[in-house]
Amino acid sequence: MKWWIKLIIIVAMLPVLAYPKMLADSSPEAGSEGTFLWIYPAYVLAAGICAWISWKKRPEITWILVVLLILTHVAMWILVSNTSL
């Protein structure tokens, strides 16, 4: 595995480090949105591991997972900003 794909996967996973801020910004009475927020770190970890593993045989799956990771980060920030209104 080349160094640059490792770097891309790690960088794509880094926004999960803002998770404590997301929890603080979310409303306490968030229903199903809160469930998605609690599952979010496990999803990021699982997607990153799967992207890492799949690079050797199926690099296109790695790219799909990286794009989905980025879209998930965006979606979670939108979810948190909408529930705090």
Side-chain angles (χ1 to χ4, degrees):
M1 186 176 211
K2 299 195 190 273
W3 66 270
W4 54 269
I5 191 62
K6 292 178 185 178
L7 185 65
I8 288 172
I9 293 170
I10 292 169
V11 167
M13 293 175 66
L14 281 180
V16 80
L17 295 177
Y19 183 66
K21 180 171 177 17
M22 293 170 103
L23 280 177
D25 290 347
S26 70
S27 68
E29 62 272 349
S32 62
E33 296 90 4
T35 304
F36 286 125
L37 190 58
W38 283 102
I39 295 171
Y40 170 63
Y43 166 75
V44 171
L45 183 64
I49 290 169
C50 289
W52 193 286
I53 291 170
S54 66
W55 177 258
K56 192 173 190 177
K57 292 185 180 182
R58 304 282 306 267
E60 61 276 0
I61 299 296
T62 296
W63 290 115
I64 291 169
L65 288 170
V66 167
V67 169
L68 285 175
L69 266 173
I70 293 167
L71 290 174
T72 302
H73 296 310
V74 172
M76 293 310 293
W77 277 108
I78 290 170
L79 181 73
V80 168
S81 66
N82 285 341
T83 58
S84 63
L85 293 177

